[in-house]
PDB file of all heavy atoms in Angstrom:
ATOM      1  N   ARG A   5       0.808  -1.210   0.000  1.00 98.00           N
ATOM      2  CA  ARG A   5       0.000   0.000   0.000  1.00 98.00           C
ATOM      3  C   ARG A   5       0.850   1.272   0.000  1.00 98.00           C
ATOM      4  O   ARG A   5       2.044   1.241   0.277  1.00 98.00           O
ATOM      5  CB  ARG A   5      -0.930   0.016   1.214  1.00 98.00           C
ATOM      6  CG  ARG A   5      -1.896  -1.179   1.283  1.00 98.00           C
ATOM      7  CD  ARG A   5      -3.138  -0.814   2.055  1.00 98.00           C
ATOM      8  NE  ARG A   5      -3.801   0.322   1.431  1.00 98.00           N
ATOM      9  CZ  ARG A   5      -4.506   1.227   2.105  1.00 98.00           C
ATOM     10  NH1 ARG A   5      -4.612   1.139   3.421  1.00 98.00           N
ATOM     11  NH2 ARG A   5      -5.089   2.229   1.475  1.00 98.00           N
ATOM     12  N   ASP A   6       0.185   2.401  -0.257  1.00 98.00           N
ATOM     13  CA  ASP A   6       0.844   3.702  -0.183  1.00 98.00           C
ATOM     14  C   ASP A   6       0.528   4.425   1.121  1.00 98.00           C
ATOM     15  O   ASP A   6       0.919   5.582   1.301  1.00 98.00           O
ATOM     16  CB  ASP A   6       0.453   4.578  -1.378  1.00 98.00           C
ATOM     17  CG  ASP A   6      -1.036   4.945  -1.399  1.00 98.00           C
ATOM     18  OD1 ASP A   6      -1.801   4.415  -0.554  1.00 98.00           O
ATOM     19  OD2 ASP A   6      -1.422   5.762  -2.262  1.00 98.00           O
ATOM     20  N   GLN A   7      -0.162   3.759   2.031  1.00 98.00           N
ATOM     21  CA  GLN A   7      -0.490   4.298   3.340  1.00 98.00           C
ATOM     22  C   GLN A   7      -0.757   3.132   4.279  1.00 98.00           C
ATOM     23  O   GLN A   7      -1.001   2.014   3.823  1.00 98.00           O
ATOM     24  CB  GLN A   7      -1.717   5.209   3.264  1.00 98.00           C
ATOM     25  CG  GLN A   7      -2.965   4.528   2.728  1.00 98.00           C
ATOM     26  CD  GLN A   7      -4.098   5.505   2.495  1.00 98.00           C
ATOM     27  OE1 GLN A   7      -4.713   5.976   3.435  1.00 98.00           O
ATOM     28  NE2 GLN A   7      -4.358   5.810   1.215  1.00 98.00           N
ATOM     29  N   PRO A   8      -0.714   3.362   5.601  1.00 98.00           N
ATOM     30  CA  PRO A   8      -0.892   2.243   6.532  1.00 98.00           C
ATOM     31  C   PRO A   8      -2.276   1.603   6.426  1.00 98.00           C
ATOM     32  O   PRO A   8      -3.264   2.262   6.086  1.00 98.00           O
ATOM     33  CB  PRO A   8      -0.694   2.903   7.900  1.00 98.00           C
ATOM     34  CG  PRO A   8       0.122   4.114   7.632  1.00 98.00           C
ATOM     35  CD  PRO A   8      -0.322   4.605   6.286  1.00 98.00           C
ATOM     36  N   TYR A   9      -2.317   0.298   6.714  1.00 98.00           N
ATOM     37  CA  TYR A   9      -3.597  -0.386   6.814  1.00 98.00           C
ATOM     38  C   TYR A   9      -4.437   0.248   7.919  1.00 98.00           C
ATOM     39  O   TYR A   9      -3.915   0.774   8.912  1.00 98.00           O
ATOM     40  CB  TYR A   9      -3.382  -1.876   7.074  1.00 98.00           C
ATOM     41  CG  TYR A   9      -3.074  -2.652   5.811  1.00 98.00           C
ATOM     42  CD1 TYR A   9      -1.752  -2.855   5.395  1.00 98.00           C
ATOM     43  CD2 TYR A   9      -4.092  -3.165   5.023  1.00 98.00           C
ATOM     44  CE1 TYR A   9      -1.467  -3.552   4.231  1.00 98.00           C
ATOM     45  CE2 TYR A   9      -3.817  -3.865   3.859  1.00 98.00           C
ATOM     46  CZ  TYR A   9      -2.513  -4.046   3.467  1.00 98.00           C
ATOM     47  OH  TYR A   9      -2.238  -4.723   2.307  1.00 98.00           O
ATOM     48  N   TYR A  10      -5.733   0.197   7.737  1.00 98.00           N
ATOM     49  CA  TYR A  10      -6.671   0.908   8.604  1.00 98.00           C
ATOM     50  C   TYR A  10      -6.642   0.402  10.046  1.00 98.00           C
ATOM     51  O   TYR A  10      -6.416   1.151  10.982  1.00 98.00           O
ATOM     52  CB  TYR A  10      -8.072   0.778   8.004  1.00 98.00           C
ATOM     53  CG  TYR A  10      -9.167   1.511   8.738  1.00 98.00           C
ATOM     54  CD1 TYR A  10      -9.241   2.898   8.702  1.00 98.00           C
ATOM     55  CD2 TYR A  10     -10.157   0.816   9.437  1.00 98.00           C
ATOM     56  CE1 TYR A  10     -10.267   3.578   9.356  1.00 98.00           C
ATOM     57  CE2 TYR A  10     -11.179   1.473  10.088  1.00 98.00           C
ATOM     58  CZ  TYR A  10     -11.232   2.859  10.042  1.00 98.00           C
ATOM     59  OH  TYR A  10     -12.252   3.511  10.698  1.00 98.00           O
ATOM     60  N   ASP A  11      -6.843  -0.889  10.228  1.00 96.00           N
ATOM     61  CA  ASP A  11      -6.851  -1.487  11.572  1.00 96.00           C
ATOM     62  C   ASP A  11      -6.531  -2.971  11.447  1.00 96.00           C
ATOM     63  O   ASP A  11      -7.380  -3.828  11.703  1.00 96.00           O
ATOM     64  CB  ASP A  11      -8.215  -1.276  12.243  1.00 96.00           C
ATOM     65  CG  ASP A  11      -8.249  -1.739  13.691  1.00 96.00           C
ATOM     66  OD1 ASP A  11      -7.163  -1.920  14.289  1.00 96.00           O
ATOM     67  OD2 ASP A  11      -9.358  -1.931  14.234  1.00 96.00           O
ATOM     68  N   PRO A  12      -5.306  -3.310  11.046  1.00 96.00           N
ATOM     69  CA  PRO A  12      -4.993  -4.715  10.757  1.00 96.00           C
ATOM     70  C   PRO A  12      -5.050  -5.594  11.995  1.00 96.00           C
ATOM     71  O   PRO A  12      -4.572  -5.211  13.065  1.00 96.00           O
ATOM     72  CB  PRO A  12      -3.575  -4.639  10.194  1.00 96.00           C
ATOM     73  CG  PRO A  12      -2.995  -3.390  10.774  1.00 96.00           C
ATOM     74  CD  PRO A  12      -4.143  -2.430  10.877  1.00 96.00           C
ATOM     75  N   ILE A  13      -5.659  -6.759  11.834  1.00 92.00           N
ATOM     76  CA  ILE A  13      -5.750  -7.723  12.924  1.00 92.00           C
ATOM     77  C   ILE A  13      -4.550  -8.655  12.842  1.00 92.00           C
ATOM     78  O   ILE A  13      -4.343  -9.330  11.838  1.00 92.00           O
ATOM     79  CB  ILE A  13      -7.070  -8.512  12.854  1.00 92.00           C
ATOM     80  CG1 ILE A  13      -8.247  -7.588  13.187  1.00 92.00           C
ATOM     81  CG2 ILE A  13      -7.054  -9.691  13.816  1.00 92.00           C
ATOM     82  CD1 ILE A  13      -9.591  -8.293  13.176  1.00 92.00           C
ATOM     83  N   GLY A  14      -3.763  -8.695  13.889  1.00 88.00           N
ATOM     84  CA  GLY A  14      -2.578  -9.537  13.919  1.00 88.00           C
ATOM     85  C   GLY A  14      -1.411  -8.781  14.524  1.00 88.00           C
ATOM     86  O   GLY A  14      -1.532  -7.629  14.970  1.00 88.00           O
ATOM     87  N   ASP A  15      -0.275  -9.401  14.515  1.00 88.00           N
ATOM     88  CA  ASP A  15       0.928  -8.842  15.130  1.00 88.00           C
ATOM     89  C   ASP A  15       1.683  -8.008  14.098  1.00 88.00           C
ATOM     90  O   ASP A  15       2.716  -8.429  13.562  1.00 88.00           O
ATOM     91  CB  ASP A  15       1.800  -9.971  15.684  1.00 88.00           C
ATOM     92  CG  ASP A  15       2.993  -9.451  16.452  1.00 88.00           C
ATOM     93  OD1 ASP A  15       2.956  -8.280  16.883  1.00 88.00           O
ATOM     94  OD2 ASP A  15       3.974 -10.205  16.613  1.00 88.00           O
ATOM     95  N   TYR A  16       1.155  -6.818  13.803  1.00 92.00           N
ATOM     96  CA  TYR A  16       1.763  -5.947  12.803  1.00 92.00           C
ATOM     97  C   TYR A  16       2.338  -4.704  13.477  1.00 92.00           C
ATOM     98  O   TYR A  16       1.731  -4.149  14.394  1.00 92.00           O
ATOM     99  CB  TYR A  16       0.731  -5.530  11.749  1.00 92.00           C
ATOM    100  CG  TYR A  16       0.194  -6.689  10.950  1.00 92.00           C
ATOM    101  CD1 TYR A  16      -1.039  -7.263  11.255  1.00 92.00           C
ATOM    102  CD2 TYR A  16       0.926  -7.226   9.903  1.00 92.00           C
ATOM    103  CE1 TYR A  16      -1.520  -8.338  10.531  1.00 92.00           C
ATOM    104  CE2 TYR A  16       0.455  -8.308   9.167  1.00 92.00           C
ATOM    105  CZ  TYR A  16      -0.776  -8.857   9.493  1.00 92.00           C
ATOM    106  OH  TYR A  16      -1.245  -9.930   8.777  1.00 92.00           O
ATOM    107  N   PRO A  17       3.472  -4.222  13.018  1.00 94.00           N
ATOM    108  CA  PRO A  17       4.050  -3.006  13.596  1.00 94.00           C
ATOM    109  C   PRO A  17       3.240  -1.776  13.206  1.00 94.00           C
ATOM    110  O   PRO A  17       2.491  -1.800  12.217  1.00 94.00           O
ATOM    111  CB  PRO A  17       5.458  -2.964  12.987  1.00 94.00           C
ATOM    112  CG  PRO A  17       5.325  -3.697  11.691  1.00 94.00           C
ATOM    113  CD  PRO A  17       4.316  -4.780  11.946  1.00 94.00           C
ATOM    114  N   PRO A  18       3.356  -0.673  13.953  1.00 95.00           N
ATOM    115  CA  PRO A  18       2.657   0.565  13.577  1.00 95.00           C
ATOM    116  C   PRO A  18       3.053   1.009  12.167  1.00 95.00           C
ATOM    117  O   PRO A  18       4.208   0.889  11.754  1.00 95.00           O
ATOM    118  CB  PRO A  18       3.153   1.569  14.631  1.00 95.00           C
ATOM    119  CG  PRO A  18       3.577   0.730  15.791  1.00 95.00           C
ATOM    120  CD  PRO A  18       4.116  -0.535  15.209  1.00 95.00           C
ATOM    121  N   GLY A  19       2.062   1.497  11.434  1.00 97.00           N
ATOM    122  CA  GLY A  19       2.318   1.977  10.080  1.00 97.00           C
ATOM    123  C   GLY A  19       2.494   0.901   9.035  1.00 97.00           C
ATOM    124  O   GLY A  19       3.030   1.161   7.958  1.00 97.00           O
ATOM    125  N   TRP A  20       2.011  -0.308   9.316  1.00 97.00           N
ATOM    126  CA  TRP A  20       2.180  -1.441   8.393  1.00 97.00           C
ATOM    127  C   TRP A  20       1.533  -1.147   7.041  1.00 97.00           C
ATOM    128  O   TRP A  20       0.351  -0.777   6.963  1.00 97.00           O
ATOM    129  CB  TRP A  20       1.573  -2.700   9.006  1.00 97.00           C
ATOM    130  CG  TRP A  20       1.652  -3.911   8.137  1.00 97.00           C
ATOM    131  CD1 TRP A  20       0.628  -4.514   7.466  1.00 97.00           C
ATOM    132  CD2 TRP A  20       2.827  -4.687   7.852  1.00 97.00           C
ATOM    133  NE1 TRP A  20       1.078  -5.614   6.776  1.00 97.00           N
ATOM    134  CE2 TRP A  20       2.429  -5.749   6.994  1.00 97.00           C
ATOM    135  CE3 TRP A  20       4.160  -4.590   8.240  1.00 97.00           C
ATOM    136  CZ2 TRP A  20       3.324  -6.694   6.528  1.00 97.00           C
ATOM    137  CZ3 TRP A  20       5.065  -5.537   7.759  1.00 97.00           C
ATOM    138  CH2 TRP A  20       4.638  -6.577   6.921  1.00 97.00           C
ATOM    139  N   ILE A  21       2.291  -1.326   5.956  1.00 98.00           N
ATOM    140  CA  ILE A  21       1.779  -1.076   4.608  1.00 98.00           C
ATOM    141  C   ILE A  21       1.896  -2.304   3.703  1.00 98.00           C
ATOM    142  O   ILE A  21       1.642  -2.202   2.496  1.00 98.00           O
ATOM    143  CB  ILE A  21       2.505   0.111   3.946  1.00 98.00           C
ATOM    144  CG1 ILE A  21       4.003  -0.175   3.796  1.00 98.00           C
ATOM    145  CG2 ILE A  21       2.262   1.407   4.726  1.00 98.00           C
ATOM    146  CD1 ILE A  21       4.740   0.856   2.949  1.00 98.00           C
ATOM    147  N   GLY A  22       2.222  -3.467   4.270  1.00 96.00           N
ATOM    148  CA  GLY A  22       2.443  -4.631   3.423  1.00 96.00           C
ATOM    149  C   GLY A  22       3.828  -4.587   2.810  1.00 96.00           C
ATOM    150  O   GLY A  22       4.693  -3.820   3.233  1.00 96.00           O
ATOM    151  N   TYR A  23       4.035  -5.377   1.760  1.00 93.00           N
ATOM    152  CA  TYR A  23       5.354  -5.412   1.150  1.00 93.00           C
ATOM    153  C   TYR A  23       5.276  -5.964  -0.271  1.00 93.00           C
ATOM    154  O   TYR A  23       4.286  -6.585  -0.670  1.00 93.00           O
ATOM    155  CB  TYR A  23       6.327  -6.246   1.988  1.00 93.00           C
ATOM    156  CG  TYR A  23       5.865  -7.657   2.321  1.00 93.00           C
ATOM    157  CD1 TYR A  23       6.183  -8.726   1.491  1.00 93.00           C
ATOM    158  CD2 TYR A  23       5.115  -7.912   3.474  1.00 93.00           C
ATOM    159  CE1 TYR A  23       5.780 -10.011   1.793  1.00 93.00           C
ATOM    160  CE2 TYR A  23       4.700  -9.193   3.784  1.00 93.00           C
ATOM    161  CZ  TYR A  23       5.029 -10.244   2.950  1.00 93.00           C
ATOM    162  OH  TYR A  23       4.620 -11.523   3.249  1.00 93.00           O
ATOM    163  N   SER A  24       6.340  -5.714  -1.001  1.00 96.00           N
ATOM    164  CA  SER A  24       6.439  -6.208  -2.367  1.00 96.00           C
ATOM    165  C   SER A  24       7.102  -7.576  -2.376  1.00 96.00           C
ATOM    166  O   SER A  24       8.040  -7.827  -1.625  1.00 96.00           O
ATOM    167  CB  SER A  24       7.249  -5.226  -3.219  1.00 96.00           C
ATOM    168  OG  SER A  24       7.498  -5.762  -4.498  1.00 96.00           O
ATOM    169  N   ALA A  25       6.629  -8.438  -3.243  1.00 93.00           N
ATOM    170  CA  ALA A  25       7.239  -9.759  -3.392  1.00 93.00           C
ATOM    171  C   ALA A  25       8.412  -9.740  -4.360  1.00 93.00           C
ATOM    172  O   ALA A  25       9.144 -10.729  -4.462  1.00 93.00           O
ATOM    173  CB  ALA A  25       6.188 -10.768  -3.866  1.00 93.00           C
ATOM    174  N   VAL A  26       8.584  -8.638  -5.079  1.00 96.00           N
ATOM    175  CA  VAL A  26       9.666  -8.510  -6.058  1.00 96.00           C
ATOM    176  C   VAL A  26      10.273  -7.122  -5.930  1.00 96.00           C
ATOM    177  O   VAL A  26       9.721  -6.234  -5.283  1.00 96.00           O
ATOM    178  CB  VAL A  26       9.160  -8.730  -7.501  1.00 96.00           C
ATOM    179  CG1 VAL A  26       8.688 -10.159  -7.708  1.00 96.00           C
ATOM    180  CG2 VAL A  26       8.028  -7.752  -7.829  1.00 96.00           C
ATOM    181  N   THR A  27      11.411  -6.926  -6.572  1.00 97.00           N
ATOM    182  CA  THR A  27      12.058  -5.625  -6.572  1.00 97.00           C
ATOM    183  C   THR A  27      11.561  -4.790  -7.758  1.00 97.00           C
ATOM    184  O   THR A  27      11.023  -5.316  -8.736  1.00 97.00           O
ATOM    185  CB  THR A  27      13.580  -5.771  -6.684  1.00 97.00           C
ATOM    186  OG1 THR A  27      13.896  -6.328  -7.975  1.00 97.00           O
ATOM    187  CG2 THR A  27      14.121  -6.686  -5.589  1.00 97.00           C
ATOM    188  N   MET A  28      11.768  -3.477  -7.656  1.00 98.00           N
ATOM    189  CA  MET A  28      11.416  -2.600  -8.770  1.00 98.00           C
ATOM    190  C   MET A  28      12.216  -2.968 -10.008  1.00 98.00           C
ATOM    191  O   MET A  28      11.702  -2.909 -11.142  1.00 98.00           O
ATOM    192  CB  MET A  28      11.652  -1.143  -8.388  1.00 98.00           C
ATOM    193  CG  MET A  28      11.155  -0.147  -9.441  1.00 98.00           C
ATOM    194  SD  MET A  28       9.357  -0.226  -9.639  1.00 98.00           S
ATOM    195  CE  MET A  28       9.135   0.563 -11.236  1.00 98.00           C
ATOM    196  N   GLU A  29      13.454  -3.361  -9.824  1.00 98.00           N
ATOM    197  CA  GLU A  29      14.281  -3.778 -10.963  1.00 98.00           C
ATOM    198  C   GLU A  29      13.657  -4.966 -11.680  1.00 98.00           C
ATOM    199  O   GLU A  29      13.656  -5.025 -12.921  1.00 98.00           O
ATOM    200  CB  GLU A  29      15.688  -4.125 -10.492  1.00 98.00           C
ATOM    201  CG  GLU A  29      16.623  -4.523 -11.622  1.00 98.00           C
ATOM    202  CD  GLU A  29      18.019  -4.883 -11.139  1.00 98.00           C
ATOM    203  OE1 GLU A  29      18.218  -4.958  -9.915  1.00 98.00           O
ATOM    204  OE2 GLU A  29      18.901  -5.106 -11.994  1.00 98.00           O
TER     205      GLU A  29
END
C-alpha cells in the first residue's frame, strides 16, 4: 500500500503497509 492499513488484525508493527514480493528492478 501507499499508506498504513486501517486497523490490521494480527501482530503488525505501527504503520504497516504490506510489502512487495519482487524488486522494482
Side-chain angles (χ1 to χ4, degrees):
R5 301 206 58 211
D6 65 353
Q7 58 188 286
Y9 279 92
Y10 183 71
D11 186 17
I13 291 181
D15 186 20
Y16 297 99
W20 178 253
I21 62 171
Y23 53 91
S24 173
V26 294
T27 66
M28 187 64 199
E29 182 181 7

